[in-house]
Amino acid sequence: YSTFPLSPKWNKEDVTYRILNYTPDMLQEDVEEAIAKAFQLWSSVTPLRFIRLHSGEADIKISFASGFHGDFYSFDGPGGTLAHAYHPGKDIGGDAHFDEDENWTKFTTYSGFNLFLVAAHELGHSLGLGHSNVFGALMYPIYMGKDTRDFRLHQDDIDGIQSLYGPPRESPTKALPSQEPTEKTPTVAPSEMSPHEEPTETTPTKPPARPEDCDPHLTFDAITTLRGEILFFKDSYVWRKSPYFRDIEHDTISSFWPSLAGGFDAAYEVDKRDQVMFFKDDQYWAVNGYNIQPGFPKPIQSLGFPRNVRKIDAAVHDQSTKKTYFFVGHRYWSFNENTQSMERGYPRKIAADFHGIYHTVDAALQKNGHFYFFHGAKHYEVDVKTKKLIRTMKSNSWFDC
Amino acid sequence: LPVIPEKEKEDMQFAQKYLENFYDFKEEKSSLFKSKDLNPMSKKIQEMQSFFGLEVTGQLNSQTLNMMKQPRCGIPDVRS
C-alpha cells in the first residue's frame, strides 16, 4: 500500500459526504446504495463514520463529469481513466470524480464498470491511500471486475487504511465482508477475473502448477489459433506454438489479457475479423490482439443459446464456410458468422455428423484443413469437408514430445 | 503477438502520455546537452514494469503496452 506525501488524513472520525449529481446510467437509488456500501467497506475497518449531507459543504463531494470538468485532470472519454479522487484536505480535498463517459452499472458481468468497486477504490484516495502494487488489492490502480457479493478488502488495503486511522473501536483488524445489495446480480464465476484471490478470502490462493509439456495426461480447457500461431489454454496457463520461433513458449493468460486471467472454457479465431472469441461460463469476450472489444463480456444467450446452456465445452471456426461450431455435452450448434445467428436445426448430436467422434469435446482447433477435437489426453484429427475421423493422437503431440 | 508496423509510433506516443500521467515522466524539450539516454522513457518504463510485476526490461513490449491500455484510476502510481 502507499499513502500520499506527508500522509494527509482526516483528523476527525465523523466525515461527511455529499452526492452532487448522478449518472443517467443507473437508478439514483442504485448510485446511492453503491456509494454507501463503498463507504461501509472503509468504516468497517476504521473508527471512521460517514455521514451523508444533502446540501451544504461536505468533506467528500462525489460527482460525475466528462472531459474537462474544472480541475487540471480532464477525463478521456470511454475507457482509459475511469475516475480520480483527491487526498484529504480543504475544498477539493477528498472529492471524488467519476467519468460520465463510462457506462456505470451495479453489475459486474456486462459492459460497463461497477460503480461500487470504482467508488470503493476512489474513496480510498479520499481517505488518504495511494495506489498499491499488490495484485488483488482494492487500491491496485487497474480496474478488476469482481463478484461484489461478499466483497472483502484485501489485507493490504486494511493495513494501509489502519496505518492512517487505526482499527475500529470494537472489531479486530481482519477483513469483514460488506453487506451487499440483495438484488441477484447476473452470474459470474468469482475466480474468473483474478486467479490469485477468491472474493471471500483476504489472502491470495495458490493457482495450480503448470502441467509439464510432455505429461501424458495433459488436457486443455481451450485452444485457438491467433494470427498464425496456436494458443493452448489450461487454467491460467498458455502454451504458445508459433511458426516464428522454434520452442513452445510458456505464458500466462494475464500476460496477454490481464482482466481475463481466470481461464477459459472455449476459444476460437475469426481470422477475417482478426478477432478471437473467449468463453467462460455463460459469458464471452471478443478480443483484437491485446484489446478486449467494448461492450464485452456479453451473455452467451445473445448468440442464440437457450437459457439452460450455462457454458460451452469447446468452439471451432471453419474459415471456408464461415460457420462456428459450439460443443456442449454430446451435442453441437452451428453459428453463421456472416449473419451472426444460429443455424436452424441445431443442436445436433456430435456423433451423427462427425463420424468417429463418440464423446464430448473439451477443446477444438482448425488447422490446415483439419479439425482437431480434444477429449481428455487424446485428440482426433477430422477432415473439415467430410467430417470423418482421420487419426487419433495424444494431446501433447503438438509439443514435439 | 505479431505487430502491425505502422502502429508502433502510435504505441510510443500512447506510452509517453501514460507515463506522463501516471509516472511523472517529463520529456526534455530543448536542452543544451545531448541526453546520454537514447531512450528517455526507458527508466520510467522500468518503473512502471516494476510496479505491475512485469519483466523489467525498459522496453515497450507487448505486455507492457497492454497493461497501459487497461481501464484504471486517474491518480498517478508514483508522485513527484
Side-chain angles (χ1 to χ4, degrees):
Chain A
Y1 67 85
S2 71
T3 60
F4 291 92
L6 304 182
S7 299
K9 60 174 203 163
W10 298 105
N11 293 313
K12 54 183 176 177
E13 290 184 352
D14 290 344
V15 177
T16 60
Y17 75 94
R18 182 178 164 195
I19 302 173
L20 299 185
N21 63 3
Y22 293 83
T23 172
D25 302 338
M26 296 168 63
L27 296 174
Q28 285 194 9
E29 61 201 53
D30 290 339
V31 172
E32 289 167 359
E33 185 167 18
I35 300 295
K37 297 302 180 189
F39 274 116
Q40 191 177 7
L41 267 185
W42 297 112
S43 64
S44 67
V45 294
T46 62
L48 297 173
R49 293 189 306 179
F50 299 103
I51 300 156
R52 185 180 172 194
L53 302 182
H54 292 84
S55 61
E57 188 64 21
D59 297 315
I60 297 173
K61 297 184 287 294
I62 293 160
S63 59
F64 295 83
S66 34
F68 173 74
H69 54 276
D71 59 19
F72 291 107
Y73 303 99
S74 300
F75 287 132
D76 55 0
T81 299
L82 306 180
H84 56 226
Y86 294 85
H87 61 69
K90 291 187 300 186
D91 301 320
I92 204 173
D95 292 356
H97 302 160
F98 296 81
D99 187 350
E100 185 49 71
D101 282 333
E102 310 302 342
N103 181 21
W104 297 105
T105 173
K106 65 178 183 180
F107 302 116
T108 53
T109 57
Y110 297 104
S111 62
F113 298 99
N114 182 276
L115 180 62
F116 162 74
L117 289 175
V118 177
H121 174 98
E122 297 306 327
L123 293 177
H125 292 314
S126 301
L127 299 179
L129 285 178
H131 282 149
S132 169
N133 64 355
V134 172
F135 184 86
L138 178 65
M139 297 312 296
Y140 190 72
I142 307 291
Y143 176 80
M144 304 294 290
K146 295 180 182 180
D147 191 348
T148 56
R149 293 169 292 191
D150 291 327
F151 182 84
R152 295 181 183 218
L153 288 171
H154 193 283
Q155 190 61 44
D156 182 72
D157 300 312
I158 297 170
D159 292 343
I161 201 69
Q162 290 186 347
S163 76
L164 294 170
Y165 299 101
R169 295 194 185 284
E170 290 158 4
S171 303
T173 58
K174 275 291 194 180
L176 298 172
S178 66
Q179 292 173 5
E180 284 310 307
T182 53
E183 298 90 347
K184 188 179 176 190
T185 54
T187 308
V188 61
S191 62
E192 71 181 3
M193 291 299 182
S194 172
H196 304 290
E197 181 181 16
E198 297 289 333
T200 55
E201 297 177 9
T202 58
T203 54
T205 54
K206 255 190 165 181
R210 176 190 285 274
E212 293 294 323
D213 291 5
C214 294
D215 182 341
H217 305 296
L218 180 62
T219 62
F220 299 108
D221 297 331
I223 305 169
T224 183
T225 54
L226 196 161
R227 296 179 179 171
E229 303 182 350
I230 307 174
L231 303 181
F232 301 81
F233 300 95
K234 177 71 178 174
D235 300 320
S236 61
Y237 300 108
V238 184
W239 288 258
R240 178 182 177 188
K241 188 175 174 76
S242 174
Y244 309 113
F245 42 84
R246 190 183 133 195
D247 297 325
I248 299 293
E249 181 180 283
H250 290 165
D251 298 289
T252 57
I253 295 175
S254 62
S255 64
F256 296 112
W257 307 284
S259 60
L260 302 180
F264 307 120
D265 297 325
Y268 69 92
E269 181 185 28
V270 181
D271 58 307
K272 74 165 188 177
R273 295 201 301 256
D274 187 31
Q275 252 180 15
V276 173
M277 316 300 282
F278 288 115
F279 293 76
K280 178 70 176 175
D281 295 325
D282 61 353
Q283 301 174 92
Y284 74 105
W285 292 256
V287 168
N288 282 79
Y290 295 106
N291 301 315
I292 299 172
Q293 289 303 291
F296 289 88
K298 291 183 181 177
I300 57 175
Q301 279 69 36
S302 68
L303 293 170
F305 288 105
R307 289 205 169 274
N308 62 346
V309 173
R310 303 304 291 169
K311 70 185 285 286
I312 310 297
D313 292 340
V316 66
H317 179 65
D318 183 347
Q319 297 171 12
S320 57
T321 62
K322 311 302 179 199
K323 305 275 175 65
T324 299
Y325 300 119
F326 293 105
F327 299 89
V328 181
H330 286 88
R331 296 171 185 252
Y332 79 104
W333 274 260
S334 175
F335 181 82
N336 188 321
E337 292 286 349
N338 286 337
T339 63
Q340 288 290 295
S341 60
M342 287 292 190
E343 298 212 291
R344 288 178 182 273
Y346 289 86
R348 292 176 56 80
K349 288 185 179 173
I350 299 172
D353 295 338
F354 295 94
H355 306 292
I357 307 298
Y358 301 112
H359 40 66
T360 59
V361 179
D362 299 334
L365 169 69
Q366 189 206 20
K367 195 76 178 163
N368 302 326
H370 297 120
F371 288 134
Y372 295 93
F373 296 145
F374 290 70
H375 175 77
K378 290 184 182 176
H379 73 289
Y380 305 85
E381 186 178 70
V382 173
D383 185 273
V384 167
K385 287 183 183 166
T386 64
K387 295 190 174 62
K388 285 184 178 171
L389 177 64
I390 299 171
R391 56 177 174 154
T392 304
M393 294 168 284
K394 284 186 181 171
S395 291
N396 62 12
S397 64
W398 291 84
F399 299 159
D400 300 322
C401 293
Chain B
L1 296 178
V3 178
I4 302 171
E6 57 267 25
K7 286 198 75 213
E8 286 187 43
K9 187 179 175 188
E10 240 178 66
D11 290 344
M12 285 300 289
Q13 288 172 344
F14 175 86
Q16 179 173 331
K17 189 72 185 161
Y18 184 96
L19 296 172
E20 287 171 0
N21 287 342
F22 304 115
Y23 286 84
D24 199 32
F25 173 67
K26 292 177 174 62
E27 189 182 19
E28 291 177 19
K29 296 278 184 191
S30 53
S31 171
L32 291 175
F33 303 97
K34 243 188 183 175
S35 172
K36 286 183 184 175
D37 188 354
L38 294 176
N39 183 358
M41 287 203 306
S42 176
K43 282 189 181 162
K44 285 297 178 183
I45 293 175
Q46 286 181 334
E47 201 172 348
M48 178 257 179
Q49 289 168 331
S50 175
F51 184 95
F52 285 110
L54 301 173
E55 187 184 358
V56 179
T57 62
Q59 301 300 311
L60 186 64
N61 54 32
S62 51
Q63 286 91 335
T64 303
L65 187 62
N66 188 45
M67 186 64 81
M68 290 179 175
K69 290 184 176 178
Q70 299 305 310
R72 60 161 290 150
C73 173
I75 298 297
D77 297 333
V78 299
R79 57 198 94 255
S80 58

